[in-house]
Amino acid sequence: MREHLTGQLRSVLDRAQELARGLNQEYVSTEHLLLGTLECETCEACQALRLHEMDPAELRDGLLRLLPQGEETPVVSGDLPLSPNAKQAITDALARAGSNGGGAGVSTRFALAALLQEPDTLIRQCLRAAGADVEQLQRLLAQPPSEPEE
């Protein structure tokens, strides 16, 4: 699966692992995927957020305030498993990229669009609290970027 992802999306997944461990979580959730994305300054997803007049650092801070922190360090060695919703988001991103030609690979834009699919999530709550029009953001993410990510 990772071979179909852009380098930036692979970096986002790696960062999501680190963030989940840092919060003492036993798995990587969709929120961790978004946090990893928000730290990727040059990725398509953050570019779309900035075009939508959203500040990735502000979104990150807001999401971190809402996420629980576990009491103990995870006992899982190696990579933490993806939550069912996180697995579904990656699968949806793969499908979105495939239906759009997918030549450049699955980018963070497709991943963020997939994360926004579920109607009632902490991710949407955080975006709305920051003033985002989620439906407009989804339309923006459906448009090809001026420069594809690597």
Side-chain angles (χ1 to χ4, degrees):
M1 170 188 76
R2 283 181 71 102
E3 66 274 2
H4 300 294
L5 310 180
T6 63
Q8 287 186 324
L9 185 52
R10 286 192 299 270
S11 293
V12 162
L13 289 171
D14 292 341
R15 186 64 182 131
Q17 283 281 331
E18 294 170 14
L19 290 161
R21 278 197 184 280
L23 292 169
N24 293 329
Q25 300 297 311
E26 296 285 333
Y27 56 88
V28 175
S29 70
T30 54
E31 293 84 9
H32 299 119
L33 294 177
L34 178 59
L35 286 170
T37 300
L38 295 172
E39 290 188 7
C40 185
E41 293 289 322
T42 60
C43 69
E44 290 176 2
C46 278
Q47 290 173 6
L49 288 167
R50 282 194 280 291
L51 280 173
H52 194 65
E53 299 181 9
M54 304 302 307
D55 178 4
E58 181 183 321
L59 288 171
R60 182 183 184 282
D61 291 345
L63 189 54
L64 281 172
R65 280 191 295 276
L66 297 173
L67 279 176
Q69 179 148 355
E71 297 286 322
E72 298 178 19
T73 304
V75 295
V76 176
S77 61
D79 284 346
L80 296 172
L82 294 174
S83 71
N85 288 344
K87 282 182 191 176
Q88 186 61 51
I90 297 300
T91 300
D92 289 352
L94 286 162
R96 285 171 184 277
S99 69
N100 282 308
V106 182
S107 71
T108 57
R109 174 174 58 96
F110 295 119
L112 181 56
L115 290 173
L116 296 177
Q117 279 305 107
E118 289 297 315
D120 190 31
T121 63
L122 193 58
I123 290 172
R124 279 179 167 250
Q125 177 185 344
C126 183
L127 285 165
R128 285 191 181 111
D133 177 336
V134 176
E135 288 71 27
Q136 183 182 9
L137 179 57
Q138 286 176 300
R139 288 190 295 276
L140 181 62
L141 291 167
Q143 299 172 10
S146 56
E147 290 187 34
E149 88 184 15
E150 298 176 11

mmCIF file with all atom_site columns, all heavy atoms in Angstrom, residues 110-132:
data_model
loop_
_atom_site.group_PDB
_atom_site.id
_atom_site.type_symbol
_atom_site.label_atom_id
_atom_site.label_alt_id
_atom_site.label_comp_id
_atom_site.label_asym_id
_atom_site.label_entity_id
_atom_site.label_seq_id
_atom_site.pdbx_PDB_ins_code
_atom_site.Cartn_x
_atom_site.Cartn_y
_atom_site.Cartn_z
_atom_site.occupancy
_atom_site.B_iso_or_equiv
_atom_site.pdbx_formal_charge
_atom_site.auth_seq_id
_atom_site.auth_comp_id
_atom_site.auth_asym_id
_atom_site.auth_atom_id
_atom_site.pdbx_PDB_model_num
ATOM 1   N N   . PHE A 1 110 ? -5.932  13.830 -1.083 1.00 0.00 ? 110 PHE A N   1
ATOM 2   C CA  . PHE A 1 110 ? -6.897  12.724 -1.097 1.00 0.00 ? 110 PHE A CA  1
ATOM 3   C C   . PHE A 1 110 ? -7.155  12.216 0.317  1.00 0.00 ? 110 PHE A C   1
ATOM 4   O O   . PHE A 1 110 ? -8.280  11.873 0.676  1.00 0.00 ? 110 PHE A O   1
ATOM 5   C CB  . PHE A 1 110 ? -6.406  11.572 -1.983 1.00 0.00 ? 110 PHE A CB  1
ATOM 6   C CG  . PHE A 1 110 ? -6.307  11.930 -3.440 1.00 0.00 ? 110 PHE A CG  1
ATOM 7   C CD1 . PHE A 1 110 ? -5.088  11.883 -4.098 1.00 0.00 ? 110 PHE A CD1 1
ATOM 8   C CD2 . PHE A 1 110 ? -7.424  12.324 -4.163 1.00 0.00 ? 110 PHE A CD2 1
ATOM 9   C CE1 . PHE A 1 110 ? -4.989  12.200 -5.436 1.00 0.00 ? 110 PHE A CE1 1
ATOM 10  C CE2 . PHE A 1 110 ? -7.334  12.656 -5.508 1.00 0.00 ? 110 PHE A CE2 1
ATOM 11  C CZ  . PHE A 1 110 ? -6.110  12.590 -6.146 1.00 0.00 ? 110 PHE A CZ  1
ATOM 12  N N   . ALA A 1 111 ? -6.094  12.174 1.130  1.00 0.00 ? 111 ALA A N   1
ATOM 13  C CA  . ALA A 1 111 ? -6.248  11.698 2.508  1.00 0.00 ? 111 ALA A CA  1
ATOM 14  C C   . ALA A 1 111 ? -7.126  12.654 3.318  1.00 0.00 ? 111 ALA A C   1
ATOM 15  O O   . ALA A 1 111 ? -8.025  12.207 4.036  1.00 0.00 ? 111 ALA A O   1
ATOM 16  C CB  . ALA A 1 111 ? -4.883  11.531 3.166  1.00 0.00 ? 111 ALA A CB  1
ATOM 17  N N   . LEU A 1 112 ? -6.902  13.964 3.179  1.00 0.00 ? 112 LEU A N   1
ATOM 18  C CA  . LEU A 1 112 ? -7.726  14.918 3.918  1.00 0.00 ? 112 LEU A CA  1
ATOM 19  C C   . LEU A 1 112 ? -9.176  14.855 3.446  1.00 0.00 ? 112 LEU A C   1
ATOM 20  O O   . LEU A 1 112 ? -10.095 14.877 4.266  1.00 0.00 ? 112 LEU A O   1
ATOM 21  C CB  . LEU A 1 112 ? -7.177  16.341 3.776  1.00 0.00 ? 112 LEU A CB  1
ATOM 22  C CG  . LEU A 1 112 ? -7.949  17.429 4.519  1.00 0.00 ? 112 LEU A CG  1
ATOM 23  C CD1 . LEU A 1 112 ? -8.081  17.124 6.013  1.00 0.00 ? 112 LEU A CD1 1
ATOM 24  C CD2 . LEU A 1 112 ? -7.287  18.789 4.303  1.00 0.00 ? 112 LEU A CD2 1
ATOM 25  N N   . ALA A 1 113 ? -9.385  14.733 2.156  1.00 0.00 ? 113 ALA A N   1
ATOM 26  C CA  . ALA A 1 113 ? -10.752 14.604 1.640  1.00 0.00 ? 113 ALA A CA  1
ATOM 27  C C   . ALA A 1 113 ? -11.434 13.375 2.237  1.00 0.00 ? 113 ALA A C   1
ATOM 28  O O   . ALA A 1 113 ? -12.606 13.422 2.620  1.00 0.00 ? 113 ALA A O   1
ATOM 29  C CB  . ALA A 1 113 ? -10.747 14.538 0.112  1.00 0.00 ? 113 ALA A CB  1
ATOM 30  N N   . ALA A 1 114 ? -10.691 12.283 2.357  1.00 0.00 ? 114 ALA A N   1
ATOM 31  C CA  . ALA A 1 114 ? -11.250 11.060 2.949  1.00 0.00 ? 114 ALA A CA  1
ATOM 32  C C   . ALA A 1 114 ? -11.547 11.262 4.435  1.00 0.00 ? 114 ALA A C   1
ATOM 33  O O   . ALA A 1 114 ? -12.565 10.777 4.941  1.00 0.00 ? 114 ALA A O   1
ATOM 34  C CB  . ALA A 1 114 ? -10.282 9.892  2.748  1.00 0.00 ? 114 ALA A CB  1
ATOM 35  N N   . LEU A 1 115 ? -10.688 11.994 5.133  1.00 0.00 ? 115 LEU A N   1
ATOM 36  C CA  . LEU A 1 115 ? -10.921 12.253 6.557  1.00 0.00 ? 115 LEU A CA  1
ATOM 37  C C   . LEU A 1 115 ? -12.168 13.093 6.790  1.00 0.00 ? 115 LEU A C   1
ATOM 38  O O   . LEU A 1 115 ? -12.776 13.022 7.851  1.00 0.00 ? 115 LEU A O   1
ATOM 39  C CB  . LEU A 1 115 ? -9.706  12.958 7.180  1.00 0.00 ? 115 LEU A CB  1
ATOM 40  C CG  . LEU A 1 115 ? -8.439  12.120 7.322  1.00 0.00 ? 115 LEU A CG  1
ATOM 41  C CD1 . LEU A 1 115 ? -7.278  13.003 7.780  1.00 0.00 ? 115 LEU A CD1 1
ATOM 42  C CD2 . LEU A 1 115 ? -8.644  10.962 8.271  1.00 0.00 ? 115 LEU A CD2 1
ATOM 43  N N   . LEU A 1 116 ? -12.547 13.876 5.801  1.00 0.00 ? 116 LEU A N   1
ATOM 44  C CA  . LEU A 1 116 ? -13.715 14.744 5.936  1.00 0.00 ? 116 LEU A CA  1
ATOM 45  C C   . LEU A 1 116 ? -15.024 14.060 5.543  1.00 0.00 ? 116 LEU A C   1
ATOM 46  O O   . LEU A 1 116 ? -16.091 14.664 5.665  1.00 0.00 ? 116 LEU A O   1
ATOM 47  C CB  . LEU A 1 116 ? -13.533 16.012 5.095  1.00 0.00 ? 116 LEU A CB  1
ATOM 48  C CG  . LEU A 1 116 ? -12.391 16.917 5.522  1.00 0.00 ? 116 LEU A CG  1
ATOM 49  C CD1 . LEU A 1 116 ? -12.258 18.088 4.565  1.00 0.00 ? 116 LEU A CD1 1
ATOM 50  C CD2 . LEU A 1 116 ? -12.571 17.386 6.951  1.00 0.00 ? 116 LEU A CD2 1
ATOM 51  N N   . GLN A 1 117 ? -14.955 12.825 5.101  1.00 0.00 ? 117 GLN A N   1
ATOM 52  C CA  . GLN A 1 117 ? -16.153 12.108 4.649  1.00 0.00 ? 117 GLN A CA  1
ATOM 53  C C   . GLN A 1 117 ? -17.163 11.833 5.752  1.00 0.00 ? 117 GLN A C   1
ATOM 54  O O   . GLN A 1 117 ? -18.354 11.932 5.540  1.00 0.00 ? 117 GLN A O   1
ATOM 55  C CB  . GLN A 1 117 ? -15.771 10.783 3.985  1.00 0.00 ? 117 GLN A CB  1
ATOM 56  C CG  . GLN A 1 117 ? -15.330 10.940 2.565  1.00 0.00 ? 117 GLN A CG  1
ATOM 57  C CD  . GLN A 1 117 ? -16.373 11.651 1.724  1.00 0.00 ? 117 GLN A CD  1
ATOM 58  O OE1 . GLN A 1 117 ? -16.199 12.801 1.360  1.00 0.00 ? 117 GLN A OE1 1
ATOM 59  N NE2 . GLN A 1 117 ? -17.459 11.003 1.415  1.00 0.00 ? 117 GLN A NE2 1
ATOM 60  N N   . GLU A 1 118 ? -16.676 11.449 6.913  1.00 0.00 ? 118 GLU A N   1
ATOM 61  C CA  . GLU A 1 118 ? -17.593 11.130 8.008  1.00 0.00 ? 118 GLU A CA  1
ATOM 62  C C   . GLU A 1 118 ? -18.268 12.409 8.495  1.00 0.00 ? 118 GLU A C   1
ATOM 63  O O   . GLU A 1 118 ? -17.598 13.409 8.739  1.00 0.00 ? 118 GLU A O   1
ATOM 64  C CB  . GLU A 1 118 ? -16.847 10.460 9.157  1.00 0.00 ? 118 GLU A CB  1
ATOM 65  C CG  . GLU A 1 118 ? -16.395 9.055  8.855  1.00 0.00 ? 118 GLU A CG  1
ATOM 66  C CD  . GLU A 1 118 ? -17.546 8.106  8.597  1.00 0.00 ? 118 GLU A CD  1
ATOM 67  O OE1 . GLU A 1 118 ? -18.533 8.130  9.360  1.00 0.00 ? 118 GLU A OE1 1
ATOM 68  O OE2 . GLU A 1 118 ? -17.456 7.345  7.622  1.00 0.00 ? 118 GLU A OE2 1
ATOM 69  N N   . PRO A 1 119 ? -19.601 12.387 8.643  1.00 0.00 ? 119 PRO A N   1
ATOM 70  C CA  . PRO A 1 119 ? -20.326 13.629 8.948  1.00 0.00 ? 119 PRO A CA  1
ATOM 71  C C   . PRO A 1 119 ? -20.161 14.171 10.365 1.00 0.00 ? 119 PRO A C   1
ATOM 72  O O   . PRO A 1 119 ? -20.205 15.371 10.566 1.00 0.00 ? 119 PRO A O   1
ATOM 73  C CB  . PRO A 1 119 ? -21.785 13.260 8.686  1.00 0.00 ? 119 PRO A CB  1
ATOM 74  C CG  . PRO A 1 119 ? -21.838 11.782 8.798  1.00 0.00 ? 119 PRO A CG  1
ATOM 75  C CD  . PRO A 1 119 ? -20.483 11.262 8.412  1.00 0.00 ? 119 PRO A CD  1
ATOM 76  N N   . ASP A 1 120 ? -19.941 13.327 11.354 1.00 0.00 ? 120 ASP A N   1
ATOM 77  C CA  . ASP A 1 120 ? -19.924 13.812 12.726 1.00 0.00 ? 120 ASP A CA  1
ATOM 78  C C   . ASP A 1 120 ? -18.666 13.334 13.430 1.00 0.00 ? 120 ASP A C   1
ATOM 79  O O   . ASP A 1 120 ? -18.686 12.335 14.157 1.00 0.00 ? 120 ASP A O   1
ATOM 80  C CB  . ASP A 1 120 ? -21.180 13.325 13.470 1.00 0.00 ? 120 ASP A CB  1
ATOM 81  C CG  . ASP A 1 120 ? -21.332 13.994 14.819 1.00 0.00 ? 120 ASP A CG  1
ATOM 82  O OD1 . ASP A 1 120 ? -20.918 15.147 14.960 1.00 0.00 ? 120 ASP A OD1 1
ATOM 83  O OD2 . ASP A 1 120 ? -21.868 13.332 15.736 1.00 0.00 ? 120 ASP A OD2 1
ATOM 84  N N   . THR A 1 121 ? -17.567 14.051 13.198 1.00 0.00 ? 121 THR A N   1
ATOM 85  C CA  . THR A 1 121 ? -16.280 13.632 13.772 1.00 0.00 ? 121 THR A CA  1
ATOM 86  C C   . THR A 1 121 ? -15.622 14.781 14.526 1.00 0.00 ? 121 THR A C   1
ATOM 87  O O   . THR A 1 121 ? -15.978 15.946 14.353 1.00 0.00 ? 121 THR A O   1
ATOM 88  C CB  . THR A 1 121 ? -15.310 13.165 12.664 1.00 0.00 ? 121 THR A CB  1
ATOM 89  O OG1 . THR A 1 121 ? -15.035 14.280 11.803 1.00 0.00 ? 121 THR A OG1 1
ATOM 90  C CG2 . THR A 1 121 ? -15.871 12.006 11.860 1.00 0.00 ? 121 THR A CG2 1
ATOM 91  N N   . LEU A 1 122 ? -14.648 14.428 15.317 1.00 0.00 ? 122 LEU A N   1
ATOM 92  C CA  . LEU A 1 122 ? -13.850 15.418 16.026 1.00 0.00 ? 122 LEU A CA  1
ATOM 93  C C   . LEU A 1 122 ? -13.110 16.318 15.029 1.00 0.00 ? 122 LEU A C   1
ATOM 94  O O   . LEU A 1 122 ? -12.935 17.511 15.270 1.00 0.00 ? 122 LEU A O   1
ATOM 95  C CB  . LEU A 1 122 ? -12.864 14.699 16.950 1.00 0.00 ? 122 LEU A CB  1
ATOM 96  C CG  . LEU A 1 122 ? -12.134 15.520 17.994 1.00 0.00 ? 122 LEU A CG  1
ATOM 97  C CD1 . LEU A 1 122 ? -13.114 16.225 18.919 1.00 0.00 ? 122 LEU A CD1 1
ATOM 98  C CD2 . LEU A 1 122 ? -11.215 14.619 18.798 1.00 0.00 ? 122 LEU A CD2 1
ATOM 99  N N   . ILE A 1 123 ? -12.713 15.746 13.907 1.00 0.00 ? 123 ILE A N   1
ATOM 100 C CA  . ILE A 1 123 ? -12.015 16.513 12.871 1.00 0.00 ? 123 ILE A CA  1
ATOM 101 C C   . ILE A 1 123 ? -12.920 17.618 12.333 1.00 0.00 ? 123 ILE A C   1
ATOM 102 O O   . ILE A 1 123 ? -12.526 18.781 12.257 1.00 0.00 ? 123 ILE A O   1
ATOM 103 C CB  . ILE A 1 123 ? -11.530 15.583 11.741 1.00 0.00 ? 123 ILE A CB  1
ATOM 104 C CG1 . ILE A 1 123 ? -10.388 14.701 12.258 1.00 0.00 ? 123 ILE A CG1 1
ATOM 105 C CG2 . ILE A 1 123 ? -11.103 16.386 10.512 1.00 0.00 ? 123 ILE A CG2 1
ATOM 106 C CD1 . ILE A 1 123 ? -9.949  13.616 11.326 1.00 0.00 ? 123 ILE A CD1 1
ATOM 107 N N   . ARG A 1 124 ? -14.143 17.266 11.966 1.00 0.00 ? 124 ARG A N   1
ATOM 108 C CA  . ARG A 1 124 ? -15.083 18.277 11.460 1.00 0.00 ? 124 ARG A CA  1
ATOM 109 C C   . ARG A 1 124 ? -15.407 19.301 12.547 1.00 0.00 ? 124 ARG A C   1
ATOM 110 O O   . ARG A 1 124 ? -15.511 20.490 12.263 1.00 0.00 ? 124 ARG A O   1
ATOM 111 C CB  . ARG A 1 124 ? -16.366 17.615 10.976 1.00 0.00 ? 124 ARG A CB  1
ATOM 112 C CG  . ARG A 1 124 ? -16.245 17.026 9.589  1.00 0.00 ? 124 ARG A CG  1
ATOM 113 C CD  . ARG A 1 124 ? -17.562 16.370 9.197  1.00 0.00 ? 124 ARG A CD  1
ATOM 114 N NE  . ARG A 1 124 ? -17.585 16.079 7.800  1.00 0.00 ? 124 ARG A NE  1
ATOM 115 C CZ  . ARG A 1 124 ? -18.345 16.709 6.918  1.00 0.00 ? 124 ARG A CZ  1
ATOM 116 N NH1 . ARG A 1 124 ? -19.172 17.645 7.291  1.00 0.00 ? 124 ARG A NH1 1
ATOM 117 N NH2 . ARG A 1 124 ? -18.300 16.378 5.650  1.00 0.00 ? 124 ARG A NH2 1
ATOM 118 N N   . GLN A 1 125 ? -15.556 18.841 13.774 1.00 0.00 ? 125 GLN A N   1
ATOM 119 C CA  . GLN A 1 125 ? -15.840 19.744 14.890 1.00 0.00 ? 125 GLN A CA  1
ATOM 120 C C   . GLN A 1 125 ? -14.724 20.772 15.033 1.00 0.00 ? 125 GLN A C   1
ATOM 121 O O   . GLN A 1 125 ? -14.976 21.967 15.202 1.00 0.00 ? 125 GLN A O   1
ATOM 122 C CB  . GLN A 1 125 ? -15.987 18.926 16.171 1.00 0.00 ? 125 GLN A CB  1
ATOM 123 C CG  . GLN A 1 125 ? -16.225 19.747 17.418 1.00 0.00 ? 125 GLN A CG  1
ATOM 124 C CD  . GLN A 1 125 ? -16.248 18.872 18.678 1.00 0.00 ? 125 GLN A CD  1
ATOM 125 O OE1 . GLN A 1 125 ? -16.386 17.662 18.617 1.00 0.00 ? 125 GLN A OE1 1
ATOM 126 N NE2 . GLN A 1 125 ? -16.091 19.507 19.806 1.00 0.00 ? 125 GLN A NE2 1
ATOM 127 N N   . CYS A 1 126 ? -13.482 20.320 14.963 1.00 0.00 ? 126 CYS A N   1
ATOM 128 C CA  . CYS A 1 126 ? -12.325 21.202 15.098 1.00 0.00 ? 126 CYS A CA  1
ATOM 129 C C   . CYS A 1 126 ? -12.267 22.199 13.933 1.00 0.00 ? 126 CYS A C   1
ATOM 130 O O   . CYS A 1 126 ? -12.014 23.389 14.148 1.00 0.00 ? 126 CYS A O   1
ATOM 131 C CB  . CYS A 1 126 ? -11.061 20.350 15.148 1.00 0.00 ? 126 CYS A CB  1
ATOM 132 S SG  . CYS A 1 126 ? -9.555  21.287 15.388 1.00 0.00 ? 126 CYS A SG  1
ATOM 133 N N   . LEU A 1 127 ? -12.508 21.736 12.729 1.00 0.00 ? 127 LEU A N   1
ATOM 134 C CA  . LEU A 1 127 ? -12.493 22.622 11.563 1.00 0.00 ? 127 LEU A CA  1
ATOM 135 C C   . LEU A 1 127 ? -13.590 23.676 11.660 1.00 0.00 ? 127 LEU A C   1
ATOM 136 O O   . LEU A 1 127 ? -13.355 24.857 11.398 1.00 0.00 ? 127 LEU A O   1
ATOM 137 C CB  . LEU A 1 127 ? -12.640 21.815 10.273 1.00 0.00 ? 127 LEU A CB  1
ATOM 138 C CG  . LEU A 1 127 ? -11.387 21.047 9.846  1.00 0.00 ? 127 LEU A CG  1
ATOM 139 C CD1 . LEU A 1 127 ? -11.736 20.006 8.795  1.00 0.00 ? 127 LEU A CD1 1
ATOM 140 C CD2 . LEU A 1 127 ? -10.326 22.005 9.330  1.00 0.00 ? 127 LEU A CD2 1
ATOM 141 N N   . ARG A 1 128 ? -14.770 23.248 12.037 1.00 0.00 ? 128 ARG A N   1
ATOM 142 C CA  . ARG A 1 128 ? -15.887 24.202 12.165 1.00 0.00 ? 128 ARG A CA  1
ATOM 143 C C   . ARG A 1 128 ? -15.613 25.226 13.271 1.00 0.00 ? 128 ARG A C   1
ATOM 144 O O   . ARG A 1 128 ? -15.921 26.405 13.117 1.00 0.00 ? 128 ARG A O   1
ATOM 145 C CB  . ARG A 1 128 ? -17.187 23.469 12.413 1.00 0.00 ? 128 ARG A CB  1
ATOM 146 C CG  . ARG A 1 128 ? -17.724 22.805 11.171 1.00 0.00 ? 128 ARG A CG  1
ATOM 147 C CD  . ARG A 1 128 ? -19.151 22.318 11.364 1.00 0.00 ? 128 ARG A CD  1
ATOM 148 N NE  . ARG A 1 128 ? -19.609 21.667 10.167 1.00 0.00 ? 128 ARG A NE  1
ATOM 149 C CZ  . ARG A 1 128 ? -19.847 20.372 10.058 1.00 0.00 ? 128 ARG A CZ  1
ATOM 150 N NH1 . ARG A 1 128 ? -19.715 19.577 11.108 1.00 0.00 ? 128 ARG A NH1 1
ATOM 151 N NH2 . ARG A 1 128 ? -20.260 19.858 8.920  1.00 0.00 ? 128 ARG A NH2 1
ATOM 152 N N   . ALA A 1 129 ? -15.022 24.777 14.382 1.00 0.00 ? 129 ALA A N   1
ATOM 153 C CA  . ALA A 1 129 ? -14.695 25.694 15.480 1.00 0.00 ? 129 ALA A CA  1
ATOM 154 C C   . ALA A 1 129 ? -13.690 26.751 15.025 1.00 0.00 ? 129 ALA A C   1
ATOM 155 O O   . ALA A 1 129 ? -13.705 27.875 15.525 1.00 0.00 ? 129 ALA A O   1
ATOM 156 C CB  . ALA A 1 129 ? -14.151 24.920 16.678 1.00 0.00 ? 129 ALA A CB  1
ATOM 157 N N   . ALA A 1 130 ? -12.849 26.398 14.055 1.00 0.00 ? 130 ALA A N   1
ATOM 158 C CA  . ALA A 1 130 ? -11.869 27.345 13.524 1.00 0.00 ? 130 ALA A CA  1
ATOM 159 C C   . ALA A 1 130 ? -12.453 28.194 12.394 1.00 0.00 ? 130 ALA A C   1
ATOM 160 O O   . ALA A 1 130 ? -11.746 29.000 11.802 1.00 0.00 ? 130 ALA A O   1
ATOM 161 C CB  . ALA A 1 130 ? -10.633 26.593 13.043 1.00 0.00 ? 130 ALA A CB  1
ATOM 162 N N   . GLY A 1 131 ? -13.747 27.988 12.088 1.00 0.00 ? 131 GLY A N   1
ATOM 163 C CA  . GLY A 1 131 ? -14.411 28.808 11.080 1.00 0.00 ? 131 GLY A CA  1
ATOM 164 C C   . GLY A 1 131 ? -14.457 28.231 9.688  1.00 0.00 ? 131 GLY A C   1
ATOM 165 O O   . GLY A 1 131 ? -14.801 28.936 8.731  1.00 0.00 ? 131 GLY A O   1
ATOM 166 N N   . ALA A 1 132 ? -14.142 26.963 9.537  1.00 0.00 ? 132 ALA A N   1
ATOM 167 C CA  . ALA A 1 132 ? -14.127 26.352 8.206  1.00 0.00 ? 132 ALA A CA  1
ATOM 168 C C   . ALA A 1 132 ? -15.527 26.013 7.721  1.00 0.00 ? 132 ALA A C   1
ATOM 169 O O   . ALA A 1 132 ? -16.379 25.599 8.501  1.00 0.00 ? 132 ALA A O   1
ATOM 170 C CB  . ALA A 1 132 ? -13.287 25.076 8.218  1.00 0.00 ? 132 ALA A CB  1
#
